[in-house]
Amino acid sequence: MAPIRVGIIGLAAKDSPQFVVGEWGVKHFKSLKAMSSAYEIIDICNTSVESSARSIEFHKFDPSTVKAYGSAEDIALDPDVDHVVVVVSAKYHMLLAKPAINAGKDVYVEFPVAPTRKGVKATVGTQSFSDPIMTKLREILPEVGDVISTELTGTTPLDVSIGWPENASGFLELESQVSRIAIVLGLVLGGFSSVVGNFDDLQSVYKTQTGTTTLLDASYQPSKLNHPVTAPDDMLIQGVLKSGVTASINIRTSATPIGDVGFHWLISGTLAEIEVVTKPGFCQVGHIGAAVALRKRNEQNDQVIEWESEDAASVAGIEGMEQSIARAYAAFAESQTADYATFETALGTHRAMGKAAKNALGARR
């Protein structure tokens, strides 16, 4: 089978040792490069042809086989490209994805998302959906019988009290498309709902504990003191899922959570309960060292569930953030539609976030 031919919108001509805002496209590039049997990068599109050419040179593409574009319309018109990846600031997702969608190209859009159209296959960057733990949970969920309730308590290490990069200040704003709500709660919701379904009715509490912070420049030196923070540190949503299950998600900010526990998730049913305990970190970049257990009714011991083998063989040699991205690409290439987020499934996440924002107590607006 011939590789899927990919065009990337938003590939920086740099590759920092640690992740820097504006370089998420580099993570996608590395994931795709590691999956060369399934994907072939043939187009790069930045804000100008010159910028795209610089990225092609920096990442050592062959300029005779990889084309440089300066607009989303132009890359969408390339008859050779099958799949367009949009990895830019969230406020441009819809603007830049729309030409490819209208041209009938399949797309991968980072979260938050843009609308799609009939006949277009789409992947959304809520990578927790494709995590092998989520795959295993979807597989074993029938063993609990009818799900009665579920509760997830988690942490985010993104403590802004000690300072925050000025080029990512949208994270601090309650109404921003890339606020802590979207990046933290939204991505948790993506994985959560892939297992137990979407909220039907909910109430929410958002609380901002850190009211101001220091903005940091590219050298991590203070550039502005007492910058206002309106995005919440603590986020709680609870209610009833469409299935009638009672559910709650409680996320707090903690760089050093007690017990070294990042997420603790219980799913209770008529026949059994499932427990997931993870290390601190980010739900969308994997859960190395996590434990999954199941206890059936009338049994005295937990059954340890092995989940790490659920990873596709094609991502086994990829590490870090790139592996979590690659999982979604692998599922798409192999038509494993249950193992990657689509626009339709992401819409359920957006609707829940919209309800939570409307009903939130404690949010400063």
Side-chain angles (χ1 to χ4, degrees), residues 143-181:
E143 296 189 40
V144 307
D146 295 329
V147 179
I148 298 170
S149 66
T150 182
E151 56 185 72
L152 185 152
T153 302
T155 65
T156 171
L158 297 175
D159 182 355
V160 306
S161 64
I162 58 175
W164 193 254
E166 61 184 0
N167 64 349
S169 60
F171 183 80
L172 310 174
E173 301 167 10
L174 180 66
E175 305 288 352
S176 170
Q177 291 178 305
V178 289
S179 75
R180 183 153 37 193
I181 299 169

mmCIF file of all heavy atoms in Angstrom, residues 143-181:
data_model
loop_
_atom_site.group_PDB
_atom_site.id
_atom_site.type_symbol
_atom_site.label_atom_id
_atom_site.label_comp_id
_atom_site.label_asym_id
_atom_site.label_seq_id
_atom_site.Cartn_x
_atom_site.Cartn_y
_atom_site.Cartn_z
ATOM 1 N N GLU A 143 -16.873 -5.719 30.876
ATOM 2 C CA GLU A 143 -16.736 -6.605 32.034
ATOM 3 C C GLU A 143 -17.318 -6.013 33.313
ATOM 4 O O GLU A 143 -17.571 -6.736 34.272
ATOM 5 C CB GLU A 143 -15.270 -6.971 32.246
ATOM 6 C CG GLU A 143 -14.672 -7.785 31.104
ATOM 7 C CD GLU A 143 -13.297 -8.320 31.439
ATOM 8 O OE1 GLU A 143 -13.096 -8.747 32.604
ATOM 9 O OE2 GLU A 143 -12.426 -8.314 30.550
ATOM 10 N N VAL A 144 -17.529 -4.690 33.346
ATOM 11 C CA VAL A 144 -18.111 -4.089 34.554
ATOM 12 C C VAL A 144 -19.627 -4.184 34.543
ATOM 13 O O VAL A 144 -20.285 -3.823 35.528
ATOM 14 C CB VAL A 144 -17.681 -2.608 34.744
ATOM 15 C CG1 VAL A 144 -16.185 -2.461 34.692
ATOM 16 C CG2 VAL A 144 -18.369 -1.687 33.749
ATOM 17 N N GLY A 145 -20.204 -4.699 33.448
ATOM 18 C CA GLY A 145 -21.659 -4.737 33.331
ATOM 19 C C GLY A 145 -22.187 -3.382 32.931
ATOM 20 O O GLY A 145 -21.569 -2.669 32.125
ATOM 21 N N ASP A 146 -23.338 -2.999 33.485
ATOM 22 C CA ASP A 146 -23.864 -1.662 33.232
ATOM 23 C C ASP A 146 -23.094 -0.660 34.082
ATOM 24 O O ASP A 146 -23.021 -0.814 35.315
ATOM 25 C CB ASP A 146 -25.350 -1.596 33.588
ATOM 26 C CG ASP A 146 -26.204 -2.477 32.700
ATOM 27 O OD1 ASP A 146 -25.827 -2.670 31.523
ATOM 28 O OD2 ASP A 146 -27.231 -3.001 33.188
ATOM 29 N N VAL A 147 -22.527 0.346 33.449
ATOM 30 C CA VAL A 147 -21.790 1.352 34.199
ATOM 31 C C VAL A 147 -22.780 2.176 35.021
ATOM 32 O O VAL A 147 -23.807 2.637 34.522
ATOM 33 C CB VAL A 147 -20.987 2.270 33.255
ATOM 34 C CG1 VAL A 147 -20.248 3.341 34.064
ATOM 35 C CG2 VAL A 147 -19.995 1.448 32.441
ATOM 36 N N ILE A 148 -22.461 2.354 36.300
ATOM 37 C CA ILE A 148 -23.327 3.101 37.211
ATOM 38 C C ILE A 148 -22.779 4.500 37.470
ATOM 39 O O ILE A 148 -23.522 5.485 37.443
ATOM 40 C CB ILE A 148 -23.465 2.354 38.550
ATOM 41 C CG1 ILE A 148 -24.111 0.982 38.331
ATOM 42 C CG2 ILE A 148 -24.276 3.185 39.555
ATOM 43 C CD1 ILE A 148 -24.065 0.103 39.568
ATOM 44 N N SER A 149 -21.464 4.577 37.716
ATOM 45 C CA SER A 149 -20.862 5.863 38.021
ATOM 46 C C SER A 149 -19.392 5.860 37.632
ATOM 47 O O SER A 149 -18.780 4.790 37.487
ATOM 48 C CB SER A 149 -20.994 6.197 39.510
ATOM 49 O OG SER A 149 -20.234 5.285 40.292
ATOM 50 N N THR A 150 -18.848 7.054 37.478
ATOM 51 C CA THR A 150 -17.427 7.180 37.191
ATOM 52 C C THR A 150 -16.926 8.500 37.742
ATOM 53 O O THR A 150 -17.618 9.513 37.698
ATOM 54 C CB THR A 150 -17.144 7.076 35.677
ATOM 55 O OG1 THR A 150 -15.725 7.165 35.458
ATOM 56 C CG2 THR A 150 -17.841 8.173 34.894
ATOM 57 N N GLU A 151 -15.722 8.463 38.302
ATOM 58 C CA GLU A 151 -15.129 9.685 38.845
ATOM 59 C C GLU A 151 -13.641 9.707 38.553
ATOM 60 O O GLU A 151 -12.946 8.707 38.728
ATOM 61 C CB GLU A 151 -15.372 9.806 40.348
ATOM 62 C CG GLU A 151 -14.881 8.627 41.170
ATOM 63 C CD GLU A 151 -15.258 8.730 42.635
ATOM 64 O OE1 GLU A 151 -16.457 8.565 42.937
ATOM 65 O OE2 GLU A 151 -14.363 8.985 43.458
ATOM 66 N N LEU A 152 -13.176 10.843 38.070
ATOM 67 C CA LEU A 152 -11.770 11.016 37.726
ATOM 68 C C LEU A 152 -11.229 12.226 38.487
ATOM 69 O O LEU A 152 -11.792 13.322 38.388
ATOM 70 C CB LEU A 152 -11.589 11.209 36.222
ATOM 71 C CG LEU A 152 -10.159 11.293 35.679
ATOM 72 C CD1 LEU A 152 -10.111 10.804 34.232
ATOM 73 C CD2 LEU A 152 -9.595 12.709 35.747
ATOM 74 N N THR A 153 -10.176 12.009 39.248
ATOM 75 C CA THR A 153 -9.475 13.086 39.932
ATOM 76 C C THR A 153 -8.075 13.174 39.351
ATOM 77 O O THR A 153 -7.387 12.150 39.249
ATOM 78 C CB THR A 153 -9.388 12.830 41.446
ATOM 79 O OG1 THR A 153 -10.709 12.686 41.972
ATOM 80 C CG2 THR A 153 -8.693 13.970 42.153
ATOM 81 N N GLY A 154 -7.675 14.359 38.966
ATOM 82 C CA GLY A 154 -6.370 14.473 38.324
ATOM 83 C C GLY A 154 -5.663 15.762 38.649
ATOM 84 O O GLY A 154 -6.206 16.657 39.307
ATOM 85 N N THR A 155 -4.423 15.844 38.181
ATOM 86 C CA THR A 155 -3.614 17.031 38.387
ATOM 87 C C THR A 155 -3.032 17.505 37.072
ATOM 88 O O THR A 155 -2.884 16.727 36.122
ATOM 89 C CB THR A 155 -2.440 16.753 39.348
ATOM 90 O OG1 THR A 155 -1.550 15.804 38.740
ATOM 91 C CG2 THR A 155 -2.930 16.210 40.676
ATOM 92 N N THR A 156 -2.699 18.766 37.023
ATOM 93 C CA THR A 156 -1.891 19.305 35.931
ATOM 94 C C THR A 156 -0.666 19.961 36.540
ATOM 95 O O THR A 156 -0.776 20.679 37.553
ATOM 96 C CB THR A 156 -2.659 20.335 35.085
ATOM 97 O OG1 THR A 156 -1.726 20.976 34.178
ATOM 98 C CG2 THR A 156 -3.332 21.392 35.929
ATOM 99 N N PRO A 157 0.511 19.721 35.997
ATOM 100 C CA PRO A 157 1.719 20.335 36.556
ATOM 101 C C PRO A 157 1.934 21.770 36.099
ATOM 102 O O PRO A 157 2.938 22.392 36.473
ATOM 103 C CB PRO A 157 2.825 19.412 36.026
ATOM 104 C CG PRO A 157 2.307 18.926 34.720
ATOM 105 C CD PRO A 157 0.824 18.784 34.903
ATOM 106 N N LEU A 158 1.026 22.304 35.308
ATOM 107 C CA LEU A 158 1.208 23.632 34.713
ATOM 108 C C LEU A 158 0.859 24.736 35.708
ATOM 109 O O LEU A 158 -0.170 25.408 35.617
ATOM 110 C CB LEU A 158 0.378 23.743 33.437
ATOM 111 C CG LEU A 158 0.778 22.771 32.324
ATOM 112 C CD1 LEU A 158 -0.183 22.875 31.149
ATOM 113 C CD2 LEU A 158 2.206 23.045 31.863
ATOM 114 N N ASP A 159 1.752 24.926 36.670
ATOM 115 C CA ASP A 159 1.608 25.942 37.704
ATOM 116 C C ASP A 159 2.158 27.264 37.168
ATOM 117 O O ASP A 159 3.356 27.375 36.894
ATOM 118 C CB ASP A 159 2.380 25.497 38.944
ATOM 119 C CG ASP A 159 2.247 26.466 40.106
ATOM 120 O OD1 ASP A 159 1.639 27.533 39.934
ATOM 121 O OD2 ASP A 159 2.768 26.151 41.195
ATOM 122 N N VAL A 160 1.294 28.258 37.020
ATOM 123 C CA VAL A 160 1.710 29.532 36.420
ATOM 124 C C VAL A 160 2.200 30.526 37.464
ATOM 125 O O VAL A 160 2.624 31.631 37.115
ATOM 126 C CB VAL A 160 0.569 30.156 35.600
ATOM 127 C CG1 VAL A 160 0.052 29.169 34.563
ATOM 128 C CG2 VAL A 160 -0.568 30.633 36.493
ATOM 129 N N SER A 161 2.168 30.168 38.730
ATOM 130 C CA SER A 161 2.499 31.124 39.782
ATOM 131 C C SER A 161 3.958 31.570 39.749
ATOM 132 O O SER A 161 4.299 32.662 40.217
ATOM 133 C CB SER A 161 2.176 30.540 41.164
ATOM 134 O OG SER A 161 2.994 29.412 41.435
ATOM 135 N N ILE A 162 4.830 30.753 39.201
ATOM 136 C CA ILE A 162 6.256 31.087 39.173
ATOM 137 C C ILE A 162 6.661 31.782 37.882
ATOM 138 O O ILE A 162 7.836 32.073 37.672
ATOM 139 C CB ILE A 162 7.119 29.829 39.373
ATOM 140 C CG1 ILE A 162 6.804 28.784 38.294
ATOM 141 C CG2 ILE A 162 6.903 29.232 40.754
ATOM 142 C CD1 ILE A 162 7.693 27.549 38.347
ATOM 143 N N GLY A 163 5.723 32.064 36.995
ATOM 144 C CA GLY A 163 6.012 32.716 35.724
ATOM 145 C C GLY A 163 5.483 31.904 34.556
ATOM 146 O O GLY A 163 5.225 30.693 34.682
ATOM 147 N N TRP A 164 5.329 32.582 33.402
ATOM 148 C CA TRP A 164 4.761 31.911 32.232
ATOM 149 C C TRP A 164 5.276 32.579 30.959
ATOM 150 O O TRP A 164 5.407 33.806 30.914
ATOM 151 C CB TRP A 164 3.226 31.978 32.282
ATOM 152 C CG TRP A 164 2.570 31.074 31.302
ATOM 153 C CD1 TRP A 164 1.943 31.421 30.130
ATOM 154 C CD2 TRP A 164 2.500 29.646 31.373
ATOM 155 N NE1 TRP A 164 1.491 30.305 29.485
ATOM 156 C CE2 TRP A 164 1.812 29.197 30.224
ATOM 157 C CE3 TRP A 164 2.945 28.711 32.303
ATOM 158 C CZ2 TRP A 164 1.563 27.849 29.988
ATOM 159 C CZ3 TRP A 164 2.703 27.367 32.060
ATOM 160 C CH2 TRP A 164 2.019 26.949 30.919
ATOM 161 N N PRO A 165 5.555 31.786 29.883
ATOM 162 C CA PRO A 165 6.060 32.380 28.634
ATOM 163 C C PRO A 165 5.062 33.374 28.037
ATOM 164 O O PRO A 165 3.883 33.071 27.898
ATOM 165 C CB PRO A 165 6.240 31.161 27.724
ATOM 166 C CG PRO A 165 6.376 30.002 28.653
ATOM 167 C CD PRO A 165 5.505 30.317 29.825
ATOM 168 N N GLU A 166 5.560 34.547 27.667
ATOM 169 C CA GLU A 166 4.673 35.574 27.137
ATOM 170 C C GLU A 166 4.056 35.173 25.795
ATOM 171 O O GLU A 166 2.945 35.597 25.465
ATOM 172 C CB GLU A 166 5.421 36.897 26.985
ATOM 173 C CG GLU A 166 6.601 36.862 26.036
ATOM 174 C CD GLU A 166 7.367 38.174 25.991
ATOM 175 O OE1 GLU A 166 6.963 39.117 26.703
ATOM 176 O OE2 GLU A 166 8.364 38.256 25.243
ATOM 177 N N ASN A 167 4.759 34.320 25.036
ATOM 178 C CA ASN A 167 4.198 33.900 23.753
ATOM 179 C C ASN A 167 3.134 32.819 23.895
ATOM 180 O O ASN A 167 2.586 32.342 22.908
ATOM 181 C CB ASN A 167 5.300 33.430 22.798
ATOM 182 C CG ASN A 167 6.027 32.190 23.288
ATOM 183 O OD1 ASN A 167 5.867 31.758 24.429
ATOM 184 N ND2 ASN A 167 6.846 31.611 22.420
ATOM 185 N N ALA A 168 2.837 32.438 25.156
ATOM 186 C CA ALA A 168 1.749 31.487 25.417
ATOM 187 C C ALA A 168 0.769 32.088 26.418
ATOM 188 O O ALA A 168 0.119 31.363 27.180
ATOM 189 C CB ALA A 168 2.303 30.167 25.937
ATOM 190 N N SER A 169 0.629 33.413 26.414
ATOM 191 C CA SER A 169 -0.206 34.084 27.407
ATOM 192 C C SER A 169 -1.685 33.745 27.269
ATOM 193 O O SER A 169 -2.452 33.906 28.222
ATOM 194 C CB SER A 169 -0.015 35.604 27.325
ATOM 195 O OG SER A 169 -0.381 36.087 26.046
ATOM 196 N N GLY A 170 -2.098 33.245 26.098
ATOM 197 C CA GLY A 170 -3.495 32.838 25.930
ATOM 198 C C GLY A 170 -3.901 31.750 26.901
ATOM 199 O O GLY A 170 -5.081 31.636 27.249
ATOM 200 N N PHE A 171 -2.942 30.964 27.358
ATOM 201 C CA PHE A 171 -3.206 29.903 28.332
ATOM 202 C C PHE A 171 -3.772 30.468 29.631
ATOM 203 O O PHE A 171 -4.490 29.790 30.362
ATOM 204 C CB PHE A 171 -1.899 29.146 28.609
ATOM 205 C CG PHE A 171 -2.020 27.978 29.530
ATOM 206 C CD1 PHE A 171 -2.490 26.750 29.075
ATOM 207 C CD2 PHE A 171 -1.647 28.073 30.866
ATOM 208 C CE1 PHE A 171 -2.593 25.656 29.923
ATOM 209 C CE2 PHE A 171 -1.736 26.991 31.720
ATOM 210 C CZ PHE A 171 -2.218 25.773 31.241
ATOM 211 N N LEU A 172 -3.466 31.731 29.914
ATOM 212 C CA LEU A 172 -3.845 32.371 31.169
ATOM 213 C C LEU A 172 -5.217 33.024 31.115
ATOM 214 O O LEU A 172 -5.722 33.489 32.132
ATOM 215 C CB LEU A 172 -2.804 33.435 31.538
ATOM 216 C CG LEU A 172 -1.336 33.002 31.514
ATOM 217 C CD1 LEU A 172 -0.433 34.200 31.744
ATOM 218 C CD2 LEU A 172 -1.073 31.915 32.545
ATOM 219 N N GLU A 173 -5.830 33.064 29.919
ATOM 220 C CA GLU A 173 -7.059 33.826 29.720
ATOM 221 C C GLU A 173 -8.277 32.901 29.694
ATOM 222 O O GLU A 173 -8.318 31.932 28.938
ATOM 223 C CB GLU A 173 -6.974 34.612 28.415
ATOM 224 C CG GLU A 173 -5.796 35.585 28.373
ATOM 225 C CD GLU A 173 -5.527 36.119 26.978
ATOM 226 O OE1 GLU A 173 -6.376 35.887 26.079
ATOM 227 O OE2 GLU A 173 -4.468 36.748 26.779
ATOM 228 N N LEU A 174 -9.261 33.240 30.490
ATOM 229 C CA LEU A 174 -10.456 32.408 30.618
ATOM 230 C C LEU A 174 -11.137 32.157 29.283
ATOM 231 O O LEU A 174 -11.566 31.042 28.989
ATOM 232 C CB LEU A 174 -11.434 33.089 31.585
ATOM 233 C CG LEU A 174 -12.766 32.376 31.848
ATOM 234 C CD1 LEU A 174 -12.530 31.065 32.561
ATOM 235 C CD2 LEU A 174 -13.700 33.276 32.655
ATOM 236 N N GLU A 175 -11.245 33.182 28.436
ATOM 237 C CA GLU A 175 -11.997 33.073 27.188
ATOM 238 C C GLU A 175 -11.155 32.620 26.003
ATOM 239 O O GLU A 175 -11.670 32.472 24.895
ATOM 240 C CB GLU A 175 -12.649 34.430 26.861
ATOM 241 C CG GLU A 175 -13.532 34.992 27.958
ATOM 242 C CD GLU A 175 -14.839 34.222 28.105
ATOM 243 O OE1 GLU A 175 -15.122 33.359 27.263
ATOM 244 O OE2 GLU A 175 -15.574 34.500 29.067
ATOM 245 N N SER A 176 -9.864 32.404 26.208
ATOM 246 C CA SER A 176 -8.982 32.045 25.100
ATOM 247 C C SER A 176 -9.258 30.632 24.595
ATOM 248 O O SER A 176 -9.620 29.739 25.359
ATOM 249 C CB SER A 176 -7.526 32.147 25.554
ATOM 250 O OG SER A 176 -6.649 31.585 24.599
ATOM 251 N N GLN A 177 -9.050 30.442 23.292
ATOM 252 C CA GLN A 177 -9.204 29.100 22.711
ATOM 253 C C GLN A 177 -8.099 28.154 23.147
ATOM 254 O O GLN A 177 -8.218 26.942 22.976
ATOM 255 C CB GLN A 177 -9.233 29.202 21.181
ATOM 256 C CG GLN A 177 -10.477 29.870 20.629
ATOM 257 C CD GLN A 177 -10.415 29.971 19.118
ATOM 258 O OE1 GLN A 177 -9.477 30.507 18.545
ATOM 259 N NE2 GLN A 177 -11.433 29.462 18.457
ATOM 260 N N VAL A 178 -7.015 28.704 23.688
ATOM 261 C CA VAL A 178 -5.922 27.861 24.158
ATOM 262 C C VAL A 178 -5.713 28.068 25.659
ATOM 263 O O VAL A 178 -4.598 27.969 26.167
ATOM 264 C CB VAL A 178 -4.608 28.149 23.391
ATOM 265 C CG1 VAL A 178 -4.709 27.638 21.984
ATOM 266 C CG2 VAL A 178 -4.278 29.647 23.406
ATOM 267 N N SER A 179 -6.793 28.334 26.373
ATOM 268 C CA SER A 179 -6.709 28.535 27.815
ATOM 269 C C SER A 179 -6.416 27.225 28.521
ATOM 270 O O SER A 179 -6.453 26.136 27.933
ATOM 271 C CB SER A 179 -8.015 29.116 28.349
ATOM 272 O OG SER A 179 -9.009 28.103 28.395
ATOM 273 N N ARG A 180 -6.179 27.325 29.827
ATOM 274 C CA ARG A 180 -5.959 26.119 30.631
ATOM 275 C C ARG A 180 -7.177 25.192 30.557
ATOM 276 O O ARG A 180 -7.045 23.977 30.659
ATOM 277 C CB ARG A 180 -5.659 26.518 32.081
ATOM 278 C CG ARG A 180 -5.338 25.357 32.968
ATOM 279 C CD ARG A 180 -4.458 25.722 34.146
ATOM 280 N NE ARG A 180 -4.738 27.024 34.710
ATOM 281 C CZ ARG A 180 -3.914 27.624 35.574
ATOM 282 N NH1 ARG A 180 -2.791 27.038 35.942
ATOM 283 N NH2 ARG A 180 -4.223 28.804 36.074
ATOM 284 N N ILE A 181 -8.355 25.772 30.365
ATOM 285 C CA ILE A 181 -9.567 24.948 30.252
ATOM 286 C C ILE A 181 -9.486 24.054 29.022
ATOM 287 O O ILE A 181 -9.739 22.848 29.078
ATOM 288 C CB ILE A 181 -10.823 25.834 30.194
ATOM 289 C CG1 ILE A 181 -10.945 26.673 31.466
ATOM 290 C CG2 ILE A 181 -12.071 24.976 29.990
ATOM 291 C CD1 ILE A 181 -12.002 27.755 31.386
#
